[in-house]
Amino acid sequence: MSSSIQQLQVTQSTNYWAAAATAAVLYDQVLMFGQEIDFIWNRQWSLMTILYFIARYCGSLSMVATAAWVLRIDWTLMVRIDIYLVTNWTANIFVLAMQVILLLRAYALCQRSNIVLALLLTCYCSLALTVWILSGLCYNLPVMRKFVLSLEPAIGSVQQIVTVDPSVFRDFQLDITIIFVSFDILVLLVALYAFFTHVVEAHRTHSGWWSANSLIKIILADQILYFLCFVSWMVISLAADFTASGSYDVYEALTNVLNILNALSVITGPRMVIRLRAHEVHSRGDETELGGEELQTIRFIGRSIKDDATLT
């Protein structure tokens, strides 16, 4: 009885944090909607615009589906399976879209180096293909039905009888975590290399270490912030999966932190695009067009670093 009460308390706490995290994401979306219209909707459409919409709305949908899942509303088993699938697929799509955004930024920071582009594209295509194959194998309905049923609490004296091995999903989560985090580390290292190369060049030209281009500072700062949120989210998610059958207190703490980090990742990711476009417009002092797409703006600055060191 004590164990059942403790489990219910953990479930209630998790529900509260999941609902709060989802509310924070939706509130941020409403808060940023005006800027989204100014810097996304009213600008020339580009690859970055499409990636923004995928990341913004798949991330929000994933948070809503997560909240619906953990709240355990009295839906049929098939509906709960669908919600679980939506939660996982939209989360994967959000991450893959964000990684393309990070890839393009790293490529632009490296002054459109073909070697960097070939390296990052090869790694990304391998990553995306592996994730889709693993997801397709893991989320097939016969196994998923048993897994979702195993997560349902027993009602009264009815016992849930399932044959699925939870380690299958833990191994899958471990593989996905390693793949995603490894690629993000690679992209961050490329961006850091480009940044420090620029800092050295700026020091040699301006006789100052902190005279680096302000836009490049914003790009790197946003990339580091998103990296910290995302990697923490993935690691905590993996830790929560492995402690689900252990201590209730540890699992509760990890799950609550996971909800916060999930929300932060979904919020900071799309904001990167808006912040960069807003900075470019404000630096011009007007509301003119951004020159087609964000990537072109960064490319221009990349060329300016090399050819005209007087830009700030």
Side-chain angles (χ1 to χ4, degrees):
M1 180 64 69
S2 177
S3 177
S4 299
I5 293 175
Q6 189 175 13
Q7 184 178 8
L8 289 174
Q9 291 175 341
V10 170
T11 301
Q12 184 182 42
S13 174
T14 303
N15 291 348
Y16 289 153
W17 282 95
T22 303
V25 170
L26 296 179
Y27 175 74
D28 177 76
Q29 191 164 343
V30 173
L31 193 66
M32 298 296 294
F33 190 68
Q35 295 188 48
E36 181 177 307
I37 293 177
D38 292 336
F39 303 118
I40 304 295
W41 289 87
N42 291 335
R43 303 295 169 178
Q44 181 179 348
W45 279 68
S46 63
L47 174 60
M48 192 65 67
T49 304
I50 297 172
L51 291 171
Y52 169 84
F53 281 117
I54 293 175
R56 164 62 81 183
Y57 292 101
C58 280
S60 299
L61 180 58
S62 175
M63 291 297 300
V64 172
T66 300
W69 164 260
V70 300
L71 288 175
R72 299 185 181 276
I73 299 175
D74 188 18
W75 285 318
T76 64
L77 179 61
M78 287 307 300
V79 172
R80 290 188 60 77
I81 291 174
D82 292 338
I83 293 175
Y84 189 85
L85 290 174
V86 169
T87 300
N88 286 275
W89 281 114
T90 52
N92 287 341
I93 293 173
F94 164 78
V95 174
L96 290 173
M98 282 304 308
Q99 288 181 333
V100 177
I101 292 175
L102 298 178
L103 182 155
L104 292 175
R105 287 177 171 226
Y107 166 63
L109 285 175
C110 292
Q111 302 186 40
R112 297 179 296 167
S113 168
N114 292 330
I115 296 177
V116 171
L117 180 62
L119 171 65
L120 295 180
L121 276 181
T122 301
C123 294
Y124 177 80
C125 290
S126 301
L127 172 153
L129 181 62
T130 303
V131 168
W132 285 112
I133 292 175
L134 288 177
S135 299
L137 292 175
C138 186
Y139 296 152
N140 67 85
L141 289 181
V143 175
M144 185 57 57
R145 185 180 188 281
K146 296 176 181 179
F147 178 67
V148 174
L149 184 61
S150 69
L151 296 178
E152 296 292 334
I155 301 175
S157 59
V158 177
Q159 297 297 321
Q160 306 285 24
I161 301 176
V162 295
T163 58
V164 64
D165 184 3
S167 64
V168 174
F169 294 91
R170 291 171 184 168
D171 293 341
F172 164 75
Q173 183 66 26
L174 177 61
D175 294 338
I176 294 297
T177 300
I178 293 174
I179 293 172
F180 280 152
V181 171
S182 298
F183 182 80
D184 273 36
I185 291 175
L186 173 62
V187 174
L188 181 62
L189 290 176
V190 172
L192 286 171
Y193 170 78
F195 174 76
F196 285 116
T197 300
H198 170 58
V199 167
V200 171
E201 181 67 22
H203 171 67
R204 186 175 62 182
T205 306
H206 294 280
S207 300
W209 287 103
W210 299 106
S211 57
N213 186 280
S214 60
L215 187 55
I216 293 183
K217 292 179 183 178
I218 290 177
I219 295 172
L220 186 65
D222 287 345
Q223 197 139 334
I224 292 175
L225 177 60
Y226 174 77
F227 174 81
L228 293 175
C229 294
F230 172 74
V231 171
S232 301
W233 169 32
M234 296 298 293
V235 172
I236 296 297
S237 176
L238 185 63
D241 287 340
F242 277 91
T243 58
S245 58
S247 171
Y248 287 127
D249 293 335
V250 174
Y251 177 73
E252 177 185 6
L254 290 176
T255 304
N256 293 340
V257 173
L258 174 62
N259 287 320
I260 297 174
L261 293 173
N262 192 359
L264 288 176
S265 299
V266 172
I267 290 172
T268 57
R271 272 177 173 259
M272 292 168 56
V273 179
I274 292 180
R275 186 184 182 200
L276 191 59
R277 291 192 172 188
H279 178 274
E280 201 277 342
V281 168
H282 295 328
S283 65
R284 292 183 179 187
D286 56 27
E287 293 294 328
T288 58
E289 288 292 332
L290 295 180
E293 60 178 287
E294 176 184 354
L295 184 57
Q296 291 179 350
T297 301
I298 308 175
R299 285 176 178 171
F300 172 76
I301 292 174
R303 292 197 300 270
S304 300
I305 294 168
K306 183 177 180 179
D307 301 332
D308 185 4
T310 61
L311 285 179
T312 57

